Amino acid sequence: MKTISRIYFDNAATTRVAPEVLAAMLPYMDNMYGNASSMYEEGRMARVAVETSRRTVAKLLGCNPNEIVFTSGGTESNNMALRCGIHRITQIITSRLEHPSVLNTSRALAQTGRISQLSYVRTDRDGAIDLDDLEKLLRDSGHRTLVSLMHANNETGRLTNIKAVGELCRKYLAYFHSDCVQTIGHLPINLSDLPVDMASASAHKFHGPKGTGILFIREGEKMAPMITGGGHERGLRAGTENVAGIVGFAKALEIAMNEFEEEMPRILQIKRMLAEKLSAMSCRFNGGDPAEGSYTILNAGFPKETCTSSLLLDLDQAGFSVSSGSACSAGKGSHVMEELNAEETVNIRFSFSKYNSPAEVALLIPALEKAVFCYSQ
Ligand code: PLP
């Protein structure tokens, strides 16, 4: 295949697998190919790999190994949290800014009558959750409620104070699930400090493989199976374990947590450098002050009169991979930008990883200036 030299600023969509992660995974696709349920040597080796990975993940996240269920990624984890923890739940409270795997799942549960009430908490122009409105919804609710709110928005990087949300949920005896797909592996999250009952993560957002995720389920939570079959993952998620993927998840998380202090300031410097240049180009930042959001995501709105709607394609042709929002809604308008009333601008999401450098931002700026009218004369 032809290799092309491109600059990748779409790490919120997916990331490159780290070479150390790939190296840790490869033996489980080669000579260590046993089925973790088999009783003989190869099977036992696979089982050891799965359970060692579970212990590693649990230790890194400050929880017990039996609180981690391995899944096929963030979408499945979110589905499991909403569909399987709800046998006594009659209401879901969420926001209109969630990932489609939460939005469409909660809508489906309401449409099929599995829950009788679906409520959306108010958010402001920058996408901040209105905690007073959440408290009002919880106080007025006559239902057994599950609150599902994401930690960092995947389009804007806006962070939600999930500690405050969790405390409100505890006060009103509601369950709390947080989609932490854009923060686990990015921030040093310790689940023992956070009042969350369930949390989702996905390996491919932090240099692990695609198709592997976890759902953290706090001990004592009663769950129904997501996939019935051979009783894998404590009967919650049947199917032969993706041993290589699970090993890759644990290795990627281990590297991310160990490198956080070193890599976070470097990545933040890249984001700040770009934000400064974009401010000078009269951009609006979707999601509020970039200094307050996730250090890996910057969403800029370019005034429509200064550029064509093909800004994204122009950048693609110039060798830069950026997106207009979530990869899951590619081709459709963004529900997040619609909610934030940001449709009067051409919105581009830039998202960063440890493999980006300030030199790449320096190359991006002239390409942007060429694509944006008022700078191209
Ligand atoms: N939740 C958020 C916030 C995401 O950004 C994504 C992926 O884009 C998902 C869930 C879905 O994760 P996966 O791609 O592993 O299914």
Side-chain angles (χ1 to χ4, degrees), residues 12 151-160 182-183 186-187 264 267-268 271-272 286-299 350-352:
H151 193 185
N153 186 278
N154 51 305
E155 296 201 29
T156 64
R158 176 96 208 178
L159 287 162
T160 288
Q182 295 290 347
T183 52
H186 291 241
L187 295 172
M264 190 279 276
I267 299 171
L268 184 58
K271 171 176 164 172
R272 280 194 186 136
N286 297 310
D289 184 352
E292 286 172 16
S294 159
Y295 64 95
T296 58
I297 301 177
L298 182 65
N299 192 313
F350 303 92
S351 49
F352 317 98

Side-chain angles (χ1 to χ4, degrees), residues 12-13 72-76 78 99 101 150 152 154 179 181-182 202 204-205 326 328:
S72 69
T75 298
E76 183 185 320
N78 287 344
H99 187 266
S101 54
M150 70 204 318
N154 51 305
D179 175 349
V181 165
Q182 295 290 347
S202 178
H204 75 105
K205 307 295 185 179
S326 160
C328 298

Side-chain angles (χ1 to χ4, degrees), residues 121-320:
V121 64
R122 267 206 306 259
T123 49
D124 73 9
R125 170 125 216 251
D126 292 327
I129 299 293
D130 182 336
L131 288 177
D132 293 333
D133 188 48
L134 178 61
E135 176 149 24
K136 185 174 178 309
L137 287 171
L138 286 167
R139 193 190 314 115
D140 297 347
S141 159
H143 295 270
R144 228 182 146 78
T145 300
L146 171 70
V147 172
S148 182
L149 292 172
M150 70 204 318
H151 193 185
N153 186 278
N154 51 305
E155 296 201 29
T156 64
R158 176 96 208 178
L159 287 162
T160 288
N161 182 346
I162 54 172
K163 191 153 197 267
V165 170
E167 277 160 6
L168 275 181
C169 290
R170 294 248 158 116
K171 180 171 167 190
Y172 293 97
L173 304 178
Y175 293 100
F176 178 35
H177 161 251
S178 186
D179 175 349
C180 295
V181 165
Q182 295 290 347
T183 52
I184 288 183
H186 291 241
L187 295 172
I189 289 178
N190 187 323
L191 292 165
S192 64
D193 292 342
L194 287 173
V196 298
D197 299 302
M198 293 178 278
S200 307
S202 178
H204 75 105
K205 307 295 185 179
F206 51 92
H207 307 293
K210 292 170 187 58
T212 317
I214 57 157
L215 180 66
F216 158 77
I217 308 168
R218 196 169 293 286
E219 206 160 1
E221 294 305 323
K222 292 259 179 304
M223 301 287 287
M226 173 74 186
I227 303 175
T228 46
H232 308 76
E233 295 297 297
R234 301 202 319 282
L236 295 178
R237 202 260 176 199
T240 301
E241 292 90 342
N242 171 6
V243 182
I246 289 170
V247 167
F249 186 106
K251 186 71 185 170
L253 188 63
E254 186 176 64
I255 296 171
M257 297 292 241
N258 290 341
E259 287 183 344
F260 172 75
E261 289 201 358
E262 192 186 325
E263 296 295 351
M264 190 279 276
R266 273 197 56 244
I267 299 171
L268 184 58
Q269 186 206 352
I270 293 168
K271 171 176 164 172
R272 280 194 186 136
M273 181 177 164
L274 181 58
E276 226 167 80
K277 300 282 182 193
L278 293 175
S279 294
M281 295 174 83
S282 313
C283 283
R284 170 188 191 272
F285 294 111
N286 297 310
D289 184 352
E292 286 172 16
S294 159
Y295 64 95
T296 58
I297 301 177
L298 182 65
N299 192 313
F302 293 81
K304 270 193 177 145
E305 58 284 5
T306 66
C307 55
T308 64
S309 55
S310 65
L311 182 54
L312 196 127
L313 295 177
D314 296 342
L315 289 173
D316 182 18
Q317 292 214 321
F320 297 90

